[in-house]
Amino acid sequence: MKHAERIAKTKETIQKSFMSLMAEKGYDRVTVTDIITRSEISRGTFYLHYLDKDDLLQKIEGELLDYIGEHSDLNDHTVLDISPYEAITHTFDWLYENREILRILVSENGDPHFISKTSNLLMYRLHAMTRSPYRANKSAIPREYALDLYVTGYVRMIFDWLSQPLPEEPATFTKYFLASENLTPAELFAMLK
C-alpha cells in the first residue's frame, strides 16, 4: 500500500471511529483516548492528522459543507450539461449516500450547530447568486426574510428526510422537493389539518 493510500485509510478509520462514538456517547463525552482505542492507532498517529477532537469534527464537517456549497449553485446544471432535475437528484444521491454521517451530526449526540452552519452557507451562496442590481424587490417582505424562509425550510426538510429510519430513495424525495416549490404557505398549512 502506498503512503498516500495508508494516510487516507488511517484518516477514514479515525473518522468512522469518531462518528460511531459520537452516535453512542454524544460529542461532548467522546475523548481522544476513546477515538484512538476504537481506531486501534497510537496517540501519535492521531495527533499527526488532527489537533484534537474539535479539529477532527471541523474537518469532517468542512468536507461535507464544501460539497454542499459546491453543489448548491443554481446554475451548476448548465455547467454540467444536465437538467436541473438531474442536478438536484445527483446532490440528493450524494446526501443519501452520506446520510449516516449527516444523521449523526444533526442528532442530539452530534453538533447542535451543524444545521445552522449548513443554512448559513446556503444563505450566503443564494444571497450572492440572487443579488442583482437590476432586479427591483417587489416582494411584500424584505429579500433577507424571503431567503431565510426558503433556505431554513428546505434545509430542515432535507435533514428531516435523512433522519428517517428508512428515508425515501433520492429520486422520490426529489419529486417531493420539487413539488414543494410550487406550494403556497396556505396550501402547506392546509396539508397540516
Side-chain angles (χ1 to χ4, degrees):
M1 185 182 302
K2 294 180 181 176
H3 182 67
E5 290 173 354
R6 203 166 35 252
I7 289 173
K9 186 163 176 44
T10 300
K11 284 183 170 184
E12 181 183 350
T13 300
I14 293 169
Q15 290 180 4
K16 283 183 177 180
S17 297
F18 175 58
M19 295 307 295
S20 68
L21 284 162
M22 193 162 39
E24 292 167 21
K25 300 172 74 166
Y27 176 75
D28 291 334
R29 295 178 55 201
V30 175
T31 65
V32 171
T33 301
D34 294 333
I35 299 166
I36 63 174
T37 301
R38 175 78 52 98
S39 301
E40 298 179 347
I41 59 168
S42 70
R43 188 169 292 277
T45 299
F46 177 87
Y47 287 115
L48 183 64
H49 301 292
Y50 305 102
L51 299 173
D52 52 26
K53 74 173 188 176
D54 294 334
D55 182 47
L56 173 55
L57 180 65
Q58 286 179 347
K59 289 201 166 99
I60 291 170
E61 290 182 345
E63 288 177 22
L64 295 168
L65 292 170
D66 284 348
Y67 183 91
I68 292 167
E70 288 171 18
H71 291 81
S72 65
D73 190 334
L74 298 174
N75 299 312
D76 196 35
H77 67 280
T78 57
V79 175
L80 298 173
D81 197 29
I82 57 176
S83 73
Y85 176 83
E86 291 171 313
I88 291 170
T89 302
H90 174 75
T91 301
F92 289 160
D93 283 339
W94 182 86
L95 291 169
Y96 187 83
E97 289 169 14
N98 290 279
R99 70 187 177 278
E100 290 305 319
I101 293 171
L102 293 165
R103 185 182 294 160
I104 293 167
L105 288 173
V106 301
S107 74
E108 63 183 20
N109 284 340
D111 179 0
H113 306 291
F114 186 70
I115 290 177
S116 64
K117 289 175 188 176
T118 305
S119 296
N120 290 340
L121 168 71
L122 293 176
M123 270 194 248
Y124 174 78
R125 299 269 307 173
L126 287 172
H127 191 277
M129 286 186 290
T130 59
R131 173 68 77 197
S132 170
Y134 307 107
R135 183 183 302 150
N137 183 0
K138 297 179 184 175
S139 174
I141 64 172
R143 70 186 299 281
E144 285 73 20
Y145 294 153
L147 188 60
D148 186 47
L149 284 169
Y150 181 81
V151 170
T152 55
Y154 282 119
V155 167
R156 188 74 250 171
M157 181 180 173
I158 291 166
F159 283 124
D160 284 349
W161 164 57
L162 295 170
S163 295
Q164 301 294 325
L166 295 170
E168 294 91 353
E169 292 294 317
T172 302
F173 184 74
T174 300
K175 290 177 188 172
Y176 296 157
F177 184 85
L178 293 174
S180 72
E181 289 189 327
N182 297 318
L183 295 172
T184 66
E187 290 169 323
L188 288 169
F189 186 72
M191 294 170 83
L192 301 176
K193 293 180 180 178

